[in-house]
C-alpha cells in the first residue's frame, strides 16, 4: 500500500517534507527568499490560482515558515514574511539551485548566486562546519540518532550505513 503522507515516519527528511515537500510550497519559499511578500506578487510570479495560493500560504504559516502580517486595514491585506525557520531554509534553496543547474540546466543561465560584495559567481558546496570536509559519501555516512525508531534503524542498517 502506497503512503499518502509522512505520518509515522520519524526521519528528519520526512518531517521536513511534511512541511515543504509540495513543489508549490518550495517555490513560494524561493520567492519569499527573493523578497516577495504580498499575495499578488506570489500569484504573478508563480501563475498559481488564488485558492491554491491561499491554501499553500496558510500551510506555510501553520508550519512556522512564514508569518502573516497585516499591512492594510481597509481593505484588509496581509503580507507573508519569512520566519526564522523560513530564513533557515535558504541553504536548502541554494542546494536546489546548484543541483538543478548541474543536473537539469536551463537552456541559458537565468539565476546566478553571487558574492554580495564582489559580484563574483559563487559555487556552493556543503561542508562540515568543524572540519571543513565536504559532506559527500567519501567523508560522511548516516547513523541512527538516540531517538531513531526501529524502522529507521533497520533502513540504515539495510543499506550498510549503520550498525544496529
Amino acid at each position: 500500500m502506497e503512503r499518502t503522507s509522512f505520518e509515522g515516519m520519524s526521519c528528519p527528511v520526512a518531517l521536513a517534507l511534511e512541511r515543504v515537500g509540495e513543489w508549490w510550497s518550495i517555490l513560494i519559499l524561493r520567492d519569499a527568499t527573493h523578497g516577495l511578500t504580498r499575495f499578488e506578487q506570489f500569484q504573478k510570479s508563480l501563475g498559481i490560482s488564488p485558492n491554491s495560493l491561499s491554501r499553500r500560504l496558510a500551510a506555510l504559516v501553520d508550519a512556522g515558515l512564514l508569518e502573516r502580517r497585516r499591512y492594510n486595514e481597509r481593505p484588509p491585506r496581509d503580507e507573508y514574511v519569512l520566519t526564522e525557520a523560513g530564513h533557515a531554509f535558504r541553504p536548502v534553496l541554494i542546494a536546489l539551485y546548484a543541483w538543478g543547474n548541474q543536473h537539469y540546466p536551463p537552456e541559458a543561465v537565468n539565476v546566478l548566486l553571487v558574492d554580495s560584495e564582489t559580484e563574483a559567481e559563487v559555487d556552493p558546496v556543503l561542508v562540515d562546519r568543524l572540519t571543513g570536509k565536504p559532506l559527500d559519501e567519501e567523508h560522511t555516512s548516516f547513523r541512527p540518532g538516540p531517538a531513531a525508531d526501529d524502522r529507521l534503524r533497520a533502513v540504515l542498517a539495510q543499506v550498510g550505513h549503520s550498525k544496529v
Side-chain angles (χ1 to χ4, degrees), residues 96-137:
L96 282 171
Y97 270 117
W99 182 79
N101 278 333
Q102 180 179 356
H103 296 286
Y104 305 100
E107 290 182 26
V109 176
N110 56 16
V111 176
L112 295 174
L113 184 63
V114 299
D115 182 285
S116 296
E117 292 179 17
T118 66
E119 293 290 316
E121 191 173 346
V122 299
D123 183 19
V125 294
L126 291 172
V127 297
D128 178 65
R129 184 185 314 268
L130 297 176
T131 65
K133 291 181 181 177
L135 299 181
D136 57 18
E137 292 175 345

Side-chain angles (χ1 to χ4, degrees), residues 84-95:
E84 184 178 333
H87 283 288
F89 194 73
R90 180 182 170 88
V92 176
L93 288 171
I94 290 171

